[in-house]
Amino acid sequence: MALALALPGHAAESGVSPAEIVATAPAAAWVTIAPKDLLVMDLAPDAAGKGRQVVIQLMPAPFARGWVGNIRKLAAAHWWDGMAITRVQDNYVVQWGDPDAEDAAKAKPLPKDLAVMGEGDYVVAGAPPSRGPEKDAYAAATGFYAGWPIAYDKEGQWPVHCYAMVGVGRNLSPDTGTGAELYTVIGHAPRHLDRNIALAGRVISGIEHLSSLPRGTGALGFYEDPAERTMIRQIRMGSDLPQAEQPQLQYLSTESASFTRYADARANRRDAFFIRPAGGADICNIPVPVRVTPQ
Amino acid sequence: MALALALPGHAAESGVSPAEIVATAPAAAWVTIAPKDLLVMDLAPDAAGKGRQVVIQLMPAPFARGWVGNIRKLAAAHWWDGMAITRVQDNYVVQWGDPDAEDAAKAKPLPKDLAVMGEGDYVVAGAPPSRGPEKDAYAAATGFYAGWPIAYDKEGQWPVHCYAMVGVGRNLSPDTGTGAELYTVIGHAPRHLDRNIALAGRVISGIEHLSSLPRGTGALGFYEDPAERTMIRQIRMGSDLPQAEQPQLQYLSTESASFTRYADARANRRDAFFIRPAGGADICNIPVPVRVTPQ
């Protein structure tokens, strides 16, 4: 008894659930994500010896171009191999990079040709092609661009700090970060970071390997004892892996009719569990569906 | 380099951070939480043998009265002792209760005098005494009531599914749950559950012991192997513990001038890390500060 809780995919006379809309979306509504746009992170195995792989999709143009370019260079240089998860702050972020980054004598040198971006690069011109919720606490409106959650106003558009989005750690402004220190969101959307830190991607597979890590007990959730860190075995571009190991993933086109129905159903739940549809949703409560490409 | 990220308490010429406002709030702005309103859950020790305690504050009148009454009875009956965490769904909820609840032959009998509530009890009359963000994707407006996040419209007011809020698992409507199956939010606020499930409290200490648990691999994040569950050693009302073990906690009065300043600073970050204040916040991005009572 009483175990059902917002049961995805529950069949109901009263309406169709978001999960059912996704499950029955036509093949044409799914967009294959090229392995060259994926960053594949292999962590040290867990205590039981099981592998832990996290797959990150990088943001497409016109967003975050300089940072995404740097991330590709860092992966090509195998820069993250042997680095670590250094910070896990509850209801906020998991961060990884060089544990010695702040010690000039010990820090691992960065590739020499990394781009330097400015704060102006946090926002780009235009508005997203498909509309999300207009009632937003942080922006004039929201929308979706090629599978990504976007906010916008008359000054332009910018990606949104939803759960699992990946951003670029930085020091105090005007530093905007290189991309060597990355974090992902593991709690309620910290939208106050929008336009203050660059977003460069999002975790689309394996976030549980990050979100379930022990929280750090130091300031900001940094681990106090180096032994608490989780080691990164390697980070590679998906296209640099052997063919058989390249992730095969698709997202539901945010410009498809199926996505429009899905987003509407998220805002107005009509499946049997629900008594009272909310009549609205915030953009981070409409996660873009991702699936393994059917064979 | 590049490790700072929204540094709480960071001193800055440009403005005062939310953490600084909280740290300097006068003693009169803090409200002591009576141990009789706390539910103290002791989990089995972790792999290293360390204790894991989770403290839940129960909702005050006029909210969730029947469910809170049931929860008090279940704790008094030591009903949860030997029960377990049965479900951990990433970016959603951790749930605990009787693993055999759905098996009539094996389910643990409930206390006989539990109240039965109706769906009308999800909403109560009136509006909260202090105002939160008015721009909300789910309700006409939001506010705070005695330390709790509330949404409201002309029909009444109801508590909000923010991170760490504790709700009452139920089966399909018109069942509204007894309080024996509880869950807490460990991801982006699932506001579509507001007014569809009862909220009865929130975790105010030790949420990391729940949010960092391994995710279940079954449907809805239920553990497939009983060995994966985390056992509950006991759940007690705080006032039923020996005096020295009663949690001593306070929350920042949501009706205080300090809280108004804090909420404003959350929506308009002026500390040095921030370039561009958001100019807004959603209610779940203004968590009510809690501290250990100073001695």
Side-chain angles (χ1 to χ4, degrees):
Chain A
M1 58 150 293
L3 285 173
L5 191 61
L7 191 65
H10 189 91
E13 290 74 37
S14 53
V16 180
S17 74
E20 285 169 313
I21 293 166
V22 172
T24 58
W30 293 92
V31 181
T32 296
I33 305 171
K36 72 176 176 53
D37 294 327
L38 298 176
L39 202 62
V40 182
M41 172 160 65
D42 286 300
L43 302 174
D46 69 13
K50 259 182 81 176
R52 293 183 278 188
Q53 187 171 84
V54 179
V55 181
I56 295 162
Q57 182 185 9
L58 297 178
M59 288 210 76
F63 298 101
R65 290 303 82 201
W67 294 285
V68 167
N70 286 355
I71 289 168
R72 292 182 187 282
K73 286 175 187 166
L74 289 155
H78 299 185
W79 189 82
W80 282 292
D81 298 11
M83 296 292 157
I85 312 282
T86 52
R87 174 190 185 191
V88 183
Q89 185 171 359
D90 196 66
N91 190 21
Y92 202 37
V93 296
V94 171
Q95 188 168 331
W96 60 93
D98 183 356
D100 296 317
E102 306 234 46
D103 180 340
K106 292 165 75 185
K108 182 169 182 172
L110 292 166
K112 294 214 180 307
D113 56 345
L114 298 185
V116 176
M117 277 68 62
E119 293 164 1
D121 297 317
Y122 294 147
V123 177
V124 303
S130 61
R131 285 162 63 177
E134 298 216 340
K135 208 172 169 192
D136 185 72
Y138 301 86
T142 65
F144 293 96
Y145 174 82
W148 297 83
I150 305 292
Y152 63 100
D153 64 14
K154 60 186 186 325
E155 291 175 46
Q157 55 183 331
W158 59 91
V160 165
H161 272 84
C162 294
Y163 193 89
M165 290 288 282
V166 172
V168 176
R170 65 165 171 87
N171 223 310
L172 291 184
S173 168
D175 175 28
T176 64
T178 61
E181 300 287 330
L182 295 173
Y183 65 89
T184 189
V185 173
I186 59 156
H188 187 71
R191 297 278 306 273
H192 53 287
L193 300 179
D194 292 357
R195 292 185 286 177
N196 283 285
I197 308 189
L199 288 168
R202 63 173 168 175
V203 177
I204 56 172
S205 175
I207 184 112
E208 68 276 13
H209 300 306
L210 301 174
S211 57
S212 67
L213 288 173
R215 278 47 182 157
T217 50
L220 302 173
F222 281 97
Y223 289 121
E224 296 180 279
D225 177 355
E228 296 175 295
R229 296 176 189 145
T230 300
M231 294 306 296
I232 297 170
R233 291 178 67 158
Q234 66 172 37
I235 296 183
R236 295 286 180 275
M237 296 310 304
S239 47
D240 289 338
L241 293 173
Q243 185 80 29
E245 295 173 25
Q246 297 185 5
Q248 305 295 329
L249 296 164
Q250 297 182 315
Y251 71 88
L252 185 64
S253 168
T254 47
E255 285 73 50
S256 69
S258 294
F259 187 85
T260 301
R261 286 179 65 214
Y262 161 80
D264 176 69
R266 290 284 302 179
N268 297 285
R269 295 294 290 256
R270 299 177 193 94
D271 33 324
F273 187 82
F274 288 83
I275 305 155
R276 180 154 190 159
D282 68 279
I283 184 144
C284 293
N285 206 4
I286 306 172
V288 176
V290 170
R291 70 174 185 181
V292 173
T293 305
Q295 295 308 310
Chain B
M1 59 149 291
L3 286 171
L5 190 61
L7 190 66
H10 190 92
E13 290 75 37
S14 53
V16 180
S17 74
E20 287 170 312
I21 293 166
V22 172
T24 58
W30 292 92
V31 181
T32 296
I33 305 171
K36 73 175 174 51
D37 294 327
L38 297 177
L39 203 60
V40 181
M41 172 161 63
D42 286 300
L43 301 175
D46 68 14
K50 259 183 81 176
R52 293 184 278 188
Q53 187 171 84
V54 179
V55 181
I56 295 162
Q57 181 185 7
L58 297 177
M59 287 210 78
F63 298 101
R65 288 305 79 202
W67 294 285
V68 168
N70 286 355
I71 289 168
R72 292 181 187 282
K73 287 175 186 165
L74 288 155
H78 299 185
W79 189 83
W80 283 291
D81 298 11
M83 295 292 157
I85 311 282
T86 52
R87 173 190 187 192
V88 183
Q89 186 171 358
D90 197 65
N91 190 20
Y92 203 35
V93 297
V94 172
Q95 188 168 332
W96 59 94
D98 183 356
D100 295 318
E102 307 235 46
D103 181 340
K106 292 165 74 185
K108 182 170 183 172
L110 292 167
K112 295 217 178 303
D113 56 345
L114 297 185
V116 176
M117 277 68 61
E119 293 164 1
D121 297 318
Y122 294 148
V123 177
V124 303
S130 61
R131 284 163 63 179
E134 298 216 341
K135 207 171 168 191
D136 185 71
Y138 301 87
T142 65
F144 293 96
Y145 174 83
W148 297 82
I150 305 292
Y152 63 99
D153 64 15
K154 61 187 187 326
E155 292 175 44
Q157 56 183 328
W158 59 92
V160 166
H161 272 85
C162 296
Y163 193 91
M165 290 289 282
V166 172
V168 176
R170 66 165 171 88
N171 223 310
L172 291 185
S173 169
D175 174 28
T176 64
T178 61
E181 299 288 330
L182 295 174
Y183 65 89
T184 190
V185 173
I186 59 156
H188 187 71
R191 295 279 307 275
H192 52 287
L193 300 179
D194 293 356
R195 294 185 286 179
N196 283 285
I197 308 189
L199 287 168
R202 62 173 168 178
V203 176
I204 56 171
S205 174
I207 183 111
E208 67 277 13
H209 301 306
L210 301 174
S211 56
S212 67
L213 289 172
R215 276 49 182 158
T217 50
L220 302 174
F222 281 97
Y223 289 121
E224 296 180 279
D225 178 355
E228 297 175 294
R229 296 175 188 146
T230 300
M231 295 304 298
I232 297 171
R233 292 179 66 160
Q234 66 171 37
I235 296 184
R236 295 285 181 275
M237 297 309 304
S239 47
D240 289 339
L241 294 173
Q243 184 80 29
E245 294 173 24
Q246 296 184 6
Q248 305 294 327
L249 296 164
Q250 298 182 316
Y251 71 88
L252 185 63
S253 168
T254 46
E255 285 74 49
S256 69
S258 295
F259 186 84
T260 302
R261 287 179 64 215
Y262 161 79
D264 176 68
R266 290 286 301 180
N268 296 285
R269 295 293 292 256
R270 299 178 194 93
D271 33 323
F273 188 82
F274 288 84
I275 304 154
R276 178 154 192 160
D282 68 279
I283 184 143
C284 292
N285 206 3
I286 307 173
V288 176
V290 170
R291 70 173 184 182
V292 173
T293 305
Q295 296 307 309

